[in-house]
Amino acid sequence: MLSHVSDLSEDVVRKNLKWLFILRNLMILSEAILIILCIYGLNIRIPEQQLWLVMVSIIIVNVYTSMRIQSEKPVTDVEIFSHISIDVFAITSLLYLTGGASNPITWVFLLPLIITAIMLPQAYAWYMVILTSSMYTMLIAFNVPLPSIEPHMINPAMLHPDMEHFVELQMTHEMRDMEYFNLHMFGMWSGFVFSAGLVAFFVVELARTLKNQERSLAEARENALRDEKIVALGTLAASAAHDMGTPLGTIAIVAHELEQDFPVHRFPDLHEKIIIVQQQISRCKQALSLMSASAGEMRAESGRIMSVIDYIDGVLEQWRTHKPGAKLCLFISPDIASEASIIAERTLTHSIINVLNNAAEATNPEQGLEFHAAWDMHYIHLKIRDFGPGMPPELVEFAGKTPVISQKRGLGVGLFLTYSTIKRLGGQINFGNLDSGGACVEITLPLLQTEESDDRE
């Protein structure tokens, strides 16, 4: 019945078991003080031997709990719930021997419920509501009455005949008192069930809110660390662009002089190679200029509004300059919004091209790679798959989330920057391997929301 409830992490569950051990020690100490106070302080006749037998049983369970904490066997949520249930049965036994539901400390049933709602998922809290309410209901009918509320009936044979009317009145009053007492017991039971439901609801919601806040803080810390890495990489890139500017300028001057010293009509082969060198130098200088110009630009400054179909054509056309011989199969969903627009940001374009480059390097050249695109007025969904050996299994989980340095199939800093860029733009990116072979990258990006589309909604 509890198999559908997901377990928490092992460390958290083991800490919960330690807390249960501590709380049970406090319960043992407080119950022992109450028993001694009732017997020797208030002179209330209660079943002392049975009570101490229950206390010994609780101590034995707690000794086992102490040994269980020190063992290396994993602790589960079901085990935690079992320990709390044992505490409920122990409390029930103690209350059974001391008046049952009429005992003024029946509110202690709320403590296991609160602990369950805090430590365990929501389903367990409602199971504990059912258990504690059942135990409370049972104690109404089955209990050992306390001496202070036991009915004391007068023996009619020992009374004078003139006092029979008085006895009848007294019995009538006692019957009415019993009716009021039963009404009081029903009210206490109703109050407990209502309070248990409220505690289960509000404490569970509070615990869920705290967990969501912790999750949000963890995501914020992760984003902050990723942003720090991006800033560090950007600083290194700017420094590298500055340091490489002068050597590239010198190489460009030397290449130009070599072009003049070896004219094409006398040295055609060497002149052609020099031209290629000059072209590559120009490409490097253009990339460095683009890197310097991109530093510090915001999204609105570094992009322009384009239709989605034109943007995809532009990205693929630009990618073709990097991989002119790569085979690409383009699939565009027929159910697309032709009026959808996107901000063609430079870093986004580089990110998609980086994924395409990685896929082209990893795929089988004969099969190439596939590019799937579908969009509506709100989101665009891209899927890029290759037909290579796939991503290394040990890197799939961390791909893009950290700059893992690897020379195999492009799983390096570039992929980390791609992941960061997609996240910064409010999108999602997922990496995975397909059962049929090859790797697949799925990208989801929000599109530009125009006032006309908002009005149509």
Side-chain angles (χ1 to χ4, degrees), residues 54 62 78 113 120 169 172 277 290 317 408 456:
V54 174
N62 217 30
V78 177
L113 177 58
L120 300 177
L169 291 176
T172 303
V277 171
L290 184 62
E317 182 180 355
K408 297 182 179 181
R456 285 197 296 268

Side-chain angles (χ1 to χ4, degrees), residues 276-334:
I276 294 175
V277 171
Q278 287 181 327
Q279 291 176 351
Q280 297 302 315
I281 292 174
S282 298
R283 183 176 176 181
C284 291
K285 293 179 67 177
Q286 182 180 3
L288 291 177
S289 299
L290 184 62
M291 185 185 303
S292 299
S294 300
E297 289 185 347
M298 301 299 292
R299 182 181 179 185
E301 297 172 349
S302 60
R304 57 192 178 91
I305 299 176
M306 296 179 61
S307 65
V308 175
I309 188 66
D310 292 339
Y311 177 72
I312 292 178
D313 289 339
V315 171
L316 295 180
E317 182 180 355
Q318 187 173 347
W319 173 72
R320 284 295 185 185
T321 61
H322 297 271
K323 301 288 183 181
K327 181 180 178 181
L328 175 69
C329 297
L330 178 61
F331 300 90
I332 296 181
S333 174

Side-chain angles (χ1 to χ4, degrees), residues 135-413:
M135 294 297 101
Y136 194 111
T137 305
M138 185 190 68
L139 288 175
I140 296 177
F142 304 97
N143 59 77
V144 177
L146 288 173
S148 57
I149 61 175
E150 286 182 344
H152 298 281
M153 301 296 297
I154 302 176
N155 188 359
M158 300 177 61
L159 295 176
H160 192 274
D162 296 337
M163 299 182 62
E164 292 181 358
H165 179 68
F166 173 76
V167 172
E168 292 178 359
L169 291 176
Q170 183 180 7
M171 293 179 62
T172 303
H173 285 296
E174 288 178 354
M175 292 177 63
R176 291 179 179 177
D177 291 341
M178 183 61 65
E179 292 178 358
Y180 291 139
F181 178 74
N182 292 335
L183 181 62
H184 172 71
M185 294 292 296
F186 177 76
M188 290 178 60
W189 177 86
S190 302
F192 173 81
V193 174
F194 180 74
S195 301
L198 287 180
V199 168
F201 177 77
F202 285 107
V203 174
V204 165
E205 290 300 321
L206 178 60
R208 180 184 300 173
T209 301
L210 293 176
K211 291 177 182 177
N212 291 336
Q213 290 180 352
E214 292 178 357
R215 189 179 299 109
S216 300
L217 290 175
E219 292 178 356
R221 286 193 294 267
E222 181 180 354
N223 293 334
L225 291 175
R226 186 170 61 246
D227 292 342
E228 289 181 2
K229 294 179 181 178
I230 294 175
V231 171
L233 290 173
T235 304
L236 291 176
S239 177
H242 180 269
D243 294 340
M244 293 174 63
T246 301
L248 279 177
T250 303
I251 295 174
I253 294 174
V254 174
H256 180 72
E257 292 178 353
L258 290 175
E259 181 186 5
Q260 300 297 326
D261 294 341
F262 297 94
V264 65
H265 62 278
R266 294 180 57 187
F267 307 94
D269 294 339
L270 183 58
H271 186 86
E272 182 179 358
K273 294 179 181 179
I274 294 174
I275 294 299
I276 294 175
V277 171
Q278 287 181 327
Q279 291 176 351
Q280 297 302 315
I281 292 174
S282 298
R283 183 176 176 181
C284 291
K285 293 179 67 177
Q286 182 180 3
L288 291 177
S289 299
L290 184 62
M291 185 185 303
S292 299
S294 300
E297 289 185 347
M298 301 299 292
R299 182 181 179 185
E301 297 172 349
S302 60
R304 57 192 178 91
I305 299 176
M306 296 179 61
S307 65
V308 175
I309 188 66
D310 292 339
Y311 177 72
I312 292 178
D313 289 339
V315 171
L316 295 180
E317 182 180 355
Q318 187 173 347
W319 173 72
R320 284 295 185 185
T321 61
H322 297 271
K323 301 288 183 181
K327 181 180 178 181
L328 175 69
C329 297
L330 178 61
F331 300 90
I332 296 181
S333 174
D335 300 329
I336 59 174
S338 59
E339 300 178 357
S341 301
I342 190 173
I343 296 181
E345 192 190 33
R346 186 182 295 113
T347 57
L348 174 61
T349 302
H350 289 172
S351 299
I352 299 176
I353 291 176
N354 181 61
V355 175
L356 289 169
N357 288 336
N358 290 337
E361 293 174 0
T363 192
N364 184 349
E366 297 180 357
Q367 294 178 290
L369 54 114
E370 295 181 356
F371 187 94
H372 299 260
W375 64 89
D376 51 25
M377 294 301 297
H378 302 283
Y379 294 94
I380 179 173
H381 305 277
L382 305 177
K383 183 170 71 174
I384 303 171
R385 73 150 306 179
D386 60 55
F387 296 89
M391 296 182 179
E394 65 275 8
L395 295 181
V396 171
E397 182 180 356
F398 303 100
K401 298 179 181 179
T402 181
V404 179
I405 304 301
S406 174
Q407 299 299 325
K408 297 182 179 181
R409 297 176 179 85
L411 294 176
V413 176

